[in-house]
Amino acid sequence: MAPTSPIMNIMMKAAEKAGRSLIRDFGEVEQLQVSRKGPGDFVTAADKRAEEIIFEELKAARPSYSFLMEEGGVVEGTDTDNKWIIDPLDGTHNFMHGIPHWCISIALETNGRIEAALVFDPVKHEMFRAERSNGAYLGRNRLRVSNRQDMEMSTIAFGGAQLDPVKQAVYIKELNAVSSLAPMARRFGAAALDLCYVAAGRFDGYWERGIHPWDVAAGILILKESGGFVTTIDNQDNPVYSRNIVSGNNDIHDKVKKILKETAK
Ligand code: LIP
């Protein structure tokens, strides 16, 4: 495996420990599908348990750092230059339904820039990781985005269906516009893995509105370090906090972004 830095080793240890907890809980979820209450409360507890594990591990290693977490929110440290951005279970809906496509996402933001990123899929034993200017890796293998330029043959992931009727109308309009040119577009339900799969060349592009910083912070650096492009649909500055994102290899990113912008007119 490519040499990992001390900070990446800390992140990997935390992710692997939380992954063991989630794999145990995921094994229980199958049985809960048929229970009267369903697995909802159980999954919430599993999510929070994983976040507590990650928080304790990272806090012990870097006591002064701040945190932004999906469940626990903001925890200010004395060192406000360094902030962990954590989604302990990305792909919650998949997890709840026993669908083996979910992950742990941990990013370290330093002075407003993501410097280290890790996305761990414990079911498939895949650890995607990157440090700024040092490339992106899946295990020993260096990640590179695809060279595909043909929308018709591209696999483009998306997300963002909304119960809000106004937002849902935008979603349907965008999905119709992109999928009419890229019929293989499909939804997988975990933004962090969507970005990592673009980085690995499995997908050629991904877009979504309504995502949160913890869903995408790590995947954005991993994708950029694999030669991919990540921007916002609405030309905001920082895709980590913009709540909307469009990404891909250079060609597909540009083509999808152009379609989305034309759809918005
Ligand atoms: C999920 C995202 C996914 C989105 C889902 C949900 P969660 O995050 O990863 O891309 O489509 O609606 O937001 O809630 O599983 O951490």
Side-chain angles (χ1 to χ4, degrees), residues 47 70-71 87-95 102-103 158-162 187-194 206-212 214-216 243:
D47 198 341
E70 179 174 31
E71 303 304 328
D87 190 345
L89 175 54
D90 187 46
T92 311
H93 184 87
N94 291 344
F95 187 99
W102 46 270
C103 63
F158 62 89
Q162 306 275 341
R187 183 174 190 180
F188 284 79
L193 287 177
D194 290 337
Y206 157 66
W207 91 96
E208 185 160 2
R209 291 184 186 274
I211 30 90
H212 293 93
W214 44 80
D215 294 325
V216 298
R243 304 296 310 274

Coordinates of all heavy atoms in Angstrom, one line a residue, residues 47 70-71 87-95 102-103 158-162 187-194 206-212 214-216 243, ligand 1:
D47 N -26.0 4.5 13.6 CA -25.4 5.7 13.1 C -24.6 6.5 14.2 O -23.5 6.9 14.1 CB -26.5 6.5 12.4 CG -26.0 7.6 11.4 OD1 -24.8 7.9 11.5 OD2 -26.8 8.0 10.6
E70 N -22.5 14.8 11.1 CA -23.9 14.7 10.7 C -24.9 14.6 11.9 O -25.9 15.3 12.0 CB -24.2 13.5 9.8 CG -25.6 13.5 9.3 CD -25.9 12.4 8.3 OE1 -25.2 11.3 8.3 OE2 -26.8 12.6 7.5
E71 N -24.5 13.8 12.8 CA -25.4 13.6 14.0 C -25.1 14.6 15.1 O -26.0 15.2 15.7 CB -25.3 12.1 14.5 CG -25.6 11.0 13.5 CD -26.9 11.1 12.9 OE1 -27.9 11.6 13.6 OE2 -27.1 10.8 11.7
D87 N -19.3 12.1 8.2 CA -20.5 11.4 8.0 C -20.3 9.9 8.5 O -19.7 9.2 7.7 CB -21.0 11.5 6.6 CG -22.5 11.0 6.5 OD1 -23.0 10.3 7.4 OD2 -23.1 11.2 5.4
P88 N -20.8 9.5 9.6 CA -20.5 8.2 10.1 C -21.2 7.1 9.3 O -20.8 5.9 9.3 CB -21.0 8.2 11.6 CG -22.1 9.2 11.5 CD -21.7 10.3 10.5
L89 N -22.3 7.5 8.6 CA -23.0 6.5 7.8 C -23.6 7.2 6.6 O -24.7 7.8 6.8 CB -24.1 5.7 8.7 CG -25.0 4.8 7.9 CD1 -24.2 3.7 7.1 CD2 -25.9 4.1 8.9
D90 N -22.9 7.2 5.5 CA -23.5 7.8 4.3 C -24.1 6.7 3.5 O -23.5 5.7 3.2 CB -22.4 8.5 3.5 CG -22.9 9.3 2.4 OD1 -23.9 10.1 2.6 OD2 -22.4 9.2 1.2
G91 N -25.4 6.9 3.1 CA -26.2 5.9 2.5 C -27.1 5.2 3.5 O -27.3 4.0 3.5
T92 N -27.6 6.1 4.4 CA -28.4 5.6 5.5 C -29.6 4.8 5.0 O -29.9 3.7 5.6 CB -28.9 6.7 6.3 OG1 -27.8 7.6 6.7 CG2 -29.6 6.3 7.6
H93 N -30.3 5.3 4.0 CA -31.5 4.6 3.4 C -31.1 3.2 3.0 O -31.8 2.2 3.2 CB -32.1 5.4 2.3 CG -33.4 4.8 1.8 ND1 -34.6 5.1 2.3 CD2 -33.6 3.9 0.8 CE1 -35.5 4.4 1.7 NE2 -35.0 3.7 0.7
N94 N -30.0 3.1 2.3 CA -29.5 1.8 1.8 C -29.3 0.8 3.0 O -29.7 -0.3 3.0 CB -28.2 1.9 1.0 CG -28.4 2.6 -0.4 OD1 -29.5 2.7 -0.8 ND2 -27.3 3.1 -1.0
F95 N -28.6 1.4 4.0 CA -28.3 0.6 5.2 C -29.6 0.1 5.8 O -29.7 -1.1 6.1 CB -27.5 1.5 6.2 CG -27.0 0.8 7.4 CD1 -25.6 0.4 7.5 CD2 -27.8 0.5 8.5 CE1 -25.1 -0.2 8.6 CE2 -27.3 -0.1 9.6 CZ -26.0 -0.5 9.7
W102 N -23.1 1.5 1.4 CA -23.0 2.6 2.3 C -21.6 2.8 2.7 O -20.7 1.9 2.5 CB -23.9 2.4 3.5 CG -23.9 1.0 4.1 CD1 -24.6 -0.1 3.8 CD2 -23.0 0.6 5.1 NE1 -24.2 -1.2 4.5 CE2 -23.2 -0.8 5.4 CE3 -22.0 1.2 5.9 CZ2 -22.6 -1.6 6.3 CZ3 -21.3 0.4 6.8 CH2 -21.6 -0.9 7.0
C103 N -21.2 3.9 3.5 CA -19.8 4.1 3.8 C -19.7 5.0 5.0 O -20.6 5.6 5.4 CB -19.1 4.6 2.6 SG -19.7 6.3 2.0
F158 N -26.7 10.3 -9.7 CA -27.4 11.5 -9.3 C -28.1 11.2 -8.0 O -28.1 10.1 -7.5 CB -28.4 12.0 -10.4 CG -29.4 11.0 -10.7 CD1 -30.6 11.0 -9.9 CD2 -29.2 10.0 -11.6 CE1 -31.6 10.0 -10.2 CE2 -30.2 9.0 -11.9 CZ -31.4 9.0 -11.2
G159 N -28.6 12.3 -7.4 CA -29.5 12.1 -6.2 C -30.4 13.3 -6.1 O -30.4 14.2 -7.0
G160 N -31.1 13.4 -5.0 CA -31.7 14.7 -4.7 C -33.2 14.8 -4.9 O -33.8 15.8 -4.9
A161 N -33.9 13.6 -5.0 CA -35.4 13.7 -5.0 C -35.9 14.4 -3.7 O -35.3 14.2 -2.7 CB -36.0 12.3 -5.2
Q162 N -36.9 15.2 -3.9 CA -37.3 16.0 -2.7 C -38.8 15.9 -2.5 O -39.6 15.8 -3.5 CB -37.0 17.5 -3.0 CG -35.6 17.8 -3.3 CD -34.7 17.9 -2.1 OE1 -35.1 18.1 -1.0 NE2 -33.4 17.8 -2.3
R187 N -29.2 6.2 -9.8 CA -29.1 6.7 -8.4 C -28.6 5.6 -7.5 O -29.2 4.5 -7.5 CB -30.4 7.3 -7.9 CG -30.2 7.8 -6.5 CD -31.5 8.6 -6.0 NE -31.1 9.3 -4.8 CZ -32.0 10.0 -4.1 NH1 -33.3 10.1 -4.5 NH2 -31.6 10.7 -3.0
F188 N -27.6 5.8 -6.7 CA -27.0 4.8 -5.8 C -27.3 5.1 -4.3 O -27.1 4.3 -3.5 CB -25.5 4.6 -6.1 CG -25.3 3.8 -7.3 CD1 -25.3 4.4 -8.6 CD2 -24.9 2.5 -7.3 CE1 -25.1 3.7 -9.7 CE2 -24.7 1.8 -8.4 CZ -24.8 2.4 -9.7
G189 N -27.5 6.4 -4.0 CA -27.9 6.7 -2.6 C -26.8 7.0 -1.6 O -27.1 7.2 -0.4
A190 N -25.6 7.2 -2.1 CA -24.5 7.5 -1.1 C -23.5 8.5 -1.9 O -22.7 8.0 -2.7 CB -23.8 6.3 -0.6
A191 N -23.6 9.7 -1.6 CA -22.9 10.8 -2.3 C -21.4 10.5 -2.2 O -20.6 10.7 -3.2 CB -23.2 12.1 -1.7
A192 N -20.9 10.1 -1.0 CA -19.5 9.9 -0.8 C -18.9 8.8 -1.8 O -17.9 9.0 -2.4 CB -19.2 9.6 0.6
L193 N -19.7 7.8 -1.9 CA -19.3 6.7 -2.8 C -19.5 7.1 -4.3 O -18.7 6.7 -5.1 CB -20.1 5.4 -2.5 CG -19.6 4.7 -1.2 CD1 -20.5 3.4 -1.0 CD2 -18.2 4.3 -1.3
D194 N -20.5 7.9 -4.5 CA -20.7 8.4 -5.9 C -19.4 9.1 -6.4 O -18.9 8.9 -7.5 CB -21.9 9.3 -6.0 CG -23.2 8.6 -5.8 OD1 -23.3 7.4 -6.1 OD2 -24.2 9.3 -5.4
Y206 N -21.3 12.8 -11.8 CA -22.3 12.7 -10.6 C -22.8 14.2 -10.4 O -22.0 15.1 -10.3 CB -21.7 12.1 -9.4 CG -22.3 12.5 -8.1 CD1 -23.6 12.1 -7.8 CD2 -21.6 13.3 -7.2 CE1 -24.2 12.4 -6.6 CE2 -22.2 13.6 -6.0 CZ -23.5 13.2 -5.7 OH -24.1 13.5 -4.5
W207 N -24.1 14.3 -10.1 CA -24.6 15.6 -9.7 C -25.7 15.4 -8.7 O -26.4 14.4 -8.6 CB -25.1 16.5 -10.9 CG -26.6 16.4 -11.2 CD1 -27.6 17.2 -10.7 CD2 -27.2 15.4 -12.0 NE1 -28.8 16.8 -11.3 CE2 -28.6 15.6 -12.0 CE3 -26.7 14.3 -12.8 CZ2 -29.5 14.9 -12.8 CZ3 -27.6 13.5 -13.5 CH2 -29.0 13.8 -13.5
E208 N -25.9 16.4 -7.8 CA -26.9 16.3 -6.8 C -27.2 17.7 -6.2 O -26.2 18.5 -6.0 CB -26.6 15.3 -5.7 CG -27.7 15.1 -4.7 CD -27.7 13.9 -3.9 OE1 -26.7 13.1 -4.1 OE2 -28.6 13.6 -3.1
R209 N -28.4 18.0 -5.9 CA -28.8 19.2 -5.1 C -29.3 18.7 -3.7 O -29.9 17.6 -3.6 CB -29.9 19.9 -5.8 CG -29.5 20.6 -7.0 CD -30.7 21.5 -7.6 NE -30.4 22.1 -8.9 CZ -29.8 23.2 -9.0 NH1 -29.4 23.9 -8.0 NH2 -29.6 23.7 -10.2
G210 N -29.0 19.4 -2.7 CA -29.5 19.1 -1.4 C -28.5 18.3 -0.5 O -28.9 17.9 0.6
I211 N -27.4 18.0 -1.0 CA -26.4 17.3 -0.1 C -25.8 18.2 0.9 O -26.0 19.4 0.9 CB -25.2 16.7 -1.0 CG1 -24.9 17.6 -2.2 CG2 -25.5 15.3 -1.5 CD1 -23.9 18.6 -2.0
H212 N -25.2 17.6 1.9 CA -24.6 18.3 3.1 C -23.1 18.2 3.0 O -22.5 17.3 2.4 CB -25.1 17.7 4.4 CG -26.6 17.9 4.6 ND1 -27.5 17.0 4.2 CD2 -27.3 19.0 5.1 CE1 -28.7 17.5 4.5 NE2 -28.6 18.7 5.1
W214 N -20.9 17.1 5.1 CA -20.4 15.8 5.5 C -20.6 14.7 4.5 O -19.8 13.7 4.4 CB -21.0 15.4 6.9 CG -22.4 15.5 7.0 CD1 -23.4 14.7 6.4 CD2 -23.2 16.6 7.5 NE1 -24.7 15.2 6.7 CE2 -24.5 16.4 7.4 CE3 -22.8 17.8 8.2 CZ2 -25.5 17.3 7.8 CZ3 -23.7 18.7 8.7 CH2 -25.1 18.4 8.5
D215 N -21.6 14.8 3.6 CA -21.7 13.8 2.5 C -20.6 13.9 1.5 O -20.3 12.9 0.9 CB -23.0 14.1 1.8 CG -24.3 13.9 2.6 OD1 -24.3 13.0 3.5 OD2 -25.3 14.7 2.4
V216 N -20.1 15.1 1.2 CA -19.2 15.3 0.1 C -17.8 15.8 0.4 O -16.9 15.7 -0.5 CB -19.9 16.3 -0.9 CG1 -21.2 15.8 -1.4 CG2 -20.1 17.7 -0.3
R243 N -24.3 23.0 -1.0 CA -25.5 22.2 -1.0 C -25.9 21.7 -2.4 O -27.0 21.1 -2.7 CB -26.7 22.9 -0.4 CG -26.6 23.4 1.0 CD -26.4 22.3 2.0 NE -27.4 21.2 1.9 CZ -28.5 21.2 2.6 NH1 -28.9 22.3 3.3 NH2 -29.4 20.2 2.5
Ligands
LIP1 C1 -27.4 10.6 1.6 C2 -26.6 11.1 0.5 C3 -27.2 10.8 -0.9 C4 -28.6 11.5 -0.9 C5 -29.5 11.0 0.2 C6 -28.8 11.3 1.6 P1 -27.1 10.2 4.2 O1 -26.8 11.0 2.8 O2 -25.3 10.5 0.5 O3 -26.4 11.2 -1.9 O4 -29.2 11.3 -2.2 O5 -30.7 11.7 0.1 O6 -28.7 12.6 1.8 O7 -28.3 10.8 4.7 O8 -27.3 8.8 3.9 O9 -25.9 10.5 5.1

